[in-house]
Amino acid sequence: MEVIIQSTPAAAAELLVRLIAHDLRANPQLVLGLATGRTMERVYDRLAQMHRECGLSFAGARTFNLDEYVGLPATDPHSYHRYMQEHLFRHVNVDLRNTHLPQGDASDLAAECHRYENLIRKCGGIDLQLLGIGQTGHIGFNEPLSALHSRTRVKALSPVTIAQNSSLFADPSKMPRRAITMGVGTILEARRVLLLATGAGKAEIVAKAVEGPITSMISASALQMHAHCTVIVDEAAAAKLQGQDYYRWIFANEPEWEPYRSAS
Ligand code: GLP
């Protein structure tokens, strides 16, 4: 795992965008794993801008979102289907037939989870997976005690997550209590993982996920087992990391990061 500390949330998002753009240009058929949440909004805004102004093309890309709320149809304004339409898909040239999210309103949820896993496999697996992190340390909606080998399945949302996300619902009491989410094992199979976390509110959980023990109580800690995972944080989210100086030294000195230093 690598940790990159950037000065501001905007600089952190910018670095993530540059890494995505690099991979998309190198492989126009990239299979991109997408995340939702407030942190990602800035990333999608910038990707849309790069599409408009620099010709960044999503024409050949295939996308798989991490999760969707159980019970919400794609048309629901609170669904992640709608989030992706609003924040990314309608602003870029992705072929909507190549964009995939779990169907939260499927009548047979177990079959839907199975279908989703198979579809990822059929597309050759995820090349680049974007992640945020929730207050419980969840990636996707892998709440505490998610098995480290878990696959796409229905997960009950924790009270902490319900408190974190219900403010995004017009009527917070209507927030679904369950979601379909890729499993921790599904996420760990992505060839590369990029996690973005910004703001002081994420400092404690980032430190636990990155420097604490690997535990199913904090799903993001499983990323320590991934061979190619980069955690990008701003100063505020980095504040509780013990190894800050070391992480900064690596970013400032290792040749692979040379093209990306000007974003900081
Ligand atoms: C939701 C998503 C997660 C995401 C989290 C972060 O819970 N299911 O995948 O990591 O939001 O949210 P935010 O960026 O709003 O802090």
Side-chain angles (χ1 to χ4, degrees):
M1 187 186 265
E2 293 160 311
V3 178
I4 298 181
I5 303 168
Q6 298 284 276
S7 50
T8 62
E14 187 62 27
L15 179 63
L16 176 57
V17 166
R18 288 174 65 179
L19 289 164
I20 299 165
H22 171 275
D23 281 13
L24 199 49
R25 288 191 174 115
N27 174 12
Q29 268 79 50
L30 195 74
V31 180
L32 188 56
L34 298 172
T36 50
R38 283 162 276 216
T39 314
M40 286 297 153
E41 290 178 11
R42 199 189 297 267
V43 172
Y44 297 144
D45 280 356
R46 277 290 290 135
L47 285 175
Q49 191 185 2
M50 284 183 79
H51 168 67
R52 274 194 317 273
E53 296 171 8
C54 315
L56 182 68
S57 178
F58 292 78
R62 279 89 39 93
T63 71
F64 284 92
N65 267 76
L66 285 165
D67 45 21
E68 179 57 284
Y69 290 110
V70 164
L72 298 192
T75 50
D76 189 290
H78 302 105
S79 71
Y80 284 159
H81 279 79
R82 184 66 85 82
Y83 172 107
M84 290 312 304
Q85 278 297 332
E86 292 302 317
H87 292 286
L88 185 66
F89 296 159
R90 73 187 180 91
H91 304 288
V92 297
N93 62 337
V94 70
D95 181 340
L96 289 179
R97 288 168 303 185
N98 291 334
T99 63
H100 306 286
L101 291 95
Q103 297 296 325
D105 60 346
S107 53
D108 183 341
L109 292 170
E112 171 58 10
C113 296
H114 196 62
R115 180 195 72 85
Y116 203 65
E117 281 281 329
N118 284 339
L119 199 55
I120 294 172
R121 211 164 290 136
K122 223 174 105 195
C123 284
I126 292 168
D127 293 309
L128 181 65
Q129 178 67 57
L130 311 186
L131 295 175
I133 184 169
Q135 295 297 347
T136 58
H138 71 213
I139 46 178
F141 270 130
N142 289 286
E143 298 287 37
L145 294 184
S146 289
L148 301 184
H149 285 299
S150 52
R151 314 302 309 186
T152 301
R153 69 213 185 290
V154 172
K155 194 73 193 160
L157 301 176
S158 73
V160 173
T161 296
I162 292 166
Q164 187 191 331
N165 288 5
S166 60
S167 61
L168 300 171
F169 283 72
D171 176 353
S173 70
K174 295 266 160 56
M175 180 181 157
R177 292 328 196 223
R178 298 187 302 155
I180 296 181
T181 180
M182 279 186 206
V184 180
T186 319
I187 294 168
L188 289 178
E189 277 174 16
R191 284 180 267 282
R192 185 172 194 191
V193 174
L194 298 171
L195 184 148
L196 177 67
T198 57
K202 297 283 172 76
E204 195 165 332
I205 197 66
V206 164
K208 283 183 179 161
V210 171
E211 296 177 337
I214 296 173
T215 166
S216 63
M217 285 301 289
I218 298 169
S219 294
S221 69
L223 298 171
Q224 294 174 33
M225 297 190 292
H226 195 282
H228 200 184
C229 171
T230 306
V231 173
I232 304 169
V233 285
D234 68 344
E235 296 278 358
K240 298 202 170 164
L241 289 167
Q242 303 286 321
Q244 284 183 55
D245 293 347
Y246 177 53
Y247 312 146
R248 285 182 210 279
W249 189 93
I250 291 171
F251 185 65
N253 293 282
E254 288 297 304
E256 67 165 302
W257 295 114
E258 205 279 319
Y260 298 99
R261 281 182 206 129
S262 59
S264 39

